[in-house]
């Protein structure tokens, strides 16, 4: 483990430097000065009087960027706070998160945007960007004041957690968002088809006696929203894509030139609906875990670029929230602290996905998806970096979680690859307690 004091100017040497833009990992050194990358050296020993931190062949990459995080503050501080959520992010290798609007009060007013930004400036362990709500109180009826929300600092708009049922409202929201150049993030699930549903509609749901929602619920919603993006020419981003049919719809829309992007979550990429045999409430999530064919379609969607990036949909809930009958447990799975290790373990095989492929999907790709800075290894960029040991084997322990919650089905799981910590503007924060 690295012990490093808070130095303003230093070289990080002996690194395997991951350059997500170039798609390469190469040996080299980085000079950090005043919180920025001021030099990259690719060959030989560094000749310099400045202190040198030799990281002994570990991978150094631009910090991960999560464009779908539920920080829960204000309003649900028992589940997570800006402080604990960003600490979890840093522990997972993230140096920036984009937080969702389904707080209490909802982020539908500039004062809430300001509150989150001010609180973040005081307590956060990574950069915090904000998604504001599309409609007042997420009710899907009245459109918010997008220009004021953007002025206050919002970078995207979403009623995530809820589908905007009224197509006319969604159309207006897209048209209005376009004027202010704000992407609209859609939670695509037909509300009528998901009513009362607890999991994917499948052989498993019949066997387990849990009411299911069909893949069609998501696909109907994606089809509508993609069509509205085409009609309005507005930037649409589809959150947590989970079905093969949805991947197909997005692929077709992209071919037609519709300005649509999409994300997949680590849980939808790795876990399937048969796992619900245990009735583990920590597997209950919206959209639900699907089947193995859907997982395969999501993975090939990522490989070919139909799915642009990976986003965690980190959705913390307390143990008390989850320790109720399956019907009453709130949906959501945490993701920030496990995303890299889980995906490195399950996806990176050197054939379908290489390590740098995974890093691209966690850095430059999410940054591009929401037009955010970061994700680049280049001179002049902020020194927001993550240090990774891609071979370390470790077991996820509840006591080691930084999040306030622990609703992950992965406790006790053995992973390969571990985030060692992050440099945020050149300041080291260890991931390992
Ligand atoms: C999210 C939450 O808990 O806020 N839950 C979930 O199951 N994904 C809401 C959401 O992302 O739709
Ligand atoms: Zn959602
Ligand atoms: Zn969400």
């Amino acid at each position: 483990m690295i012990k490093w004091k808070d130095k303003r100017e230093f070289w990080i040497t002996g690194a395997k430097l991951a350059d997500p833009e170039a798609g390469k990992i190469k040996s080299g050194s980085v000079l950090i000065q005043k919180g920025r990358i001021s030099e990259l050296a690719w060959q030989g020993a560094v000749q310099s009087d400045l202190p040198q931190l030799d990281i002994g062949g570990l991978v150094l990459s631009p910090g991960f960027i999560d464009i779908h995080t539920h920080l829960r503050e204000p309003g649900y501080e028992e589940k997570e706070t800006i402080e604990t959520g960003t600490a979890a992010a840093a522990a997972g290798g993230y140096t920036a998160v984009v937080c969702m609007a389904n707080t209490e009060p909802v982020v539908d007013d500039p004062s809430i945007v300001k509150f989150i930004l001010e609180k973040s400036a005081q307590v956060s362990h990574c950069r915090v960007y904000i998604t504001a709500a599309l409609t007042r109180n997420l009710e899907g009826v009245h459109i918010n004041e997008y220009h004021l929300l953007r002025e206050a600092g919002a970078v995207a708009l979403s009623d995530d957690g809820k589908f905007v049922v009224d197509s006319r409202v969604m159309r207006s929201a897209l048209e209005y968002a376009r004027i202010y150049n704000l992407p609209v993030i859609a939670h695509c699930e037909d509300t009528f088809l998901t009513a009362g549903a607890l999991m994917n509609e499948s052989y498993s749901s019949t066997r387990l006696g849990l009411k299911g929602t069909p893949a069609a619920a998501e696909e109907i919603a994606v089809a509508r929203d993609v069509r509205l993006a085409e009609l309005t020419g507005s930037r649409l981003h589809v959150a947590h894509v989970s079905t093969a049919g949805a991947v197909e719809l997005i692929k077709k829309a992209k071919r037609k030139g519709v300005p649509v992007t999409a994300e997949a979550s680590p849980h939808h990429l790795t876990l399937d609906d048969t796992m619900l045999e245990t009735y583990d409430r920590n597997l209950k999530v919206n959209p639900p875990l699907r089947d193995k064919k859907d997982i395969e379609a999501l993975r090939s969607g990522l490989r070919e670029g139909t799915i642009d990036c990976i986003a965690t949909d980190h959705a913390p809930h307390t143990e008390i929230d989850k320790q109720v009958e399956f019907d009453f447990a709130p949906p959501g799975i945490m993701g920030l602290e496990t995303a890299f290790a889980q995906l490195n373990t399950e996806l990176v095989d050197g054939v379908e996905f290489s390590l740098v492929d995974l890093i691209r999907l966690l850095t430059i790709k999410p940054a591009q998806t929401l037009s955010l800075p970061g994700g680049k290894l280049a001179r002049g960029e902020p020194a927001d970096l993550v240090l990774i040991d891609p071979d370390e084997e470790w077991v996820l322990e509840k006591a080691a979680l930084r999040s306030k919650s622990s609703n992950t089905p992965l406790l006790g799981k053995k992973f390969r690859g571990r985030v060692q910590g992050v440099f945020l503007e050149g300041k080291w924060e260890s991931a390992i307690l």
Side-chain angles (χ1 to χ4, degrees), residues 85-207:
T86 56
Y94 291 87
T95 50
V97 299
V98 185
C99 64
M100 272 300 175
N102 62 342
T103 49
E104 176 55 44
V106 165
V107 189
D108 58 7
D109 185 274
S111 62
I112 314 296
V113 177
K114 262 186 71 186
F115 165 78
I116 296 171
L117 287 177
E118 281 170 11
K119 189 78 195 272
S120 301
Q122 291 161 12
V123 303
S124 81
H125 298 262
C126 72
R127 290 173 203 275
V128 174
Y129 299 101
I130 297 173
T131 297
L134 272 177
T135 67
R136 196 186 309 159
N137 205 29
L138 308 178
E139 282 162 7
V141 180
H142 302 286
I143 284 169
N144 292 325
E145 300 271 19
Y146 299 162
H147 63 298
L148 297 179
L149 292 165
R150 192 187 68 164
E151 261 173 28
V155 300
L157 299 164
S158 182
D159 275 1
D160 182 49
K162 288 191 167 175
F163 178 58
V164 179
V165 175
D166 186 329
S167 307
R168 189 189 55 95
V169 170
M170 189 61 170
R171 177 197 181 165
S172 306
L174 282 160
E175 277 171 348
Y176 188 21
R178 185 176 168 211
I179 300 172
Y180 298 101
N181 205 19
L182 287 167
V184 171
I185 304 176
H187 173 113
C188 290
E189 286 193 297
D190 180 286
T191 312
F192 302 102
L193 284 172
T194 57
L198 304 168
M199 67 175 291
N200 184 37
E201 184 176 298
S202 61
Y203 176 70
S204 295
S205 63
T206 308
R207 256 175 53 84

Side-chain angles (χ1 to χ4, degrees), residues 307-321:
I307 310 279
D308 298 81
C309 63
I310 295 167
T312 67
D313 192 11
H314 178 79
H317 292 291
T318 66
E319 266 176 45
I320 293 169
D321 291 336

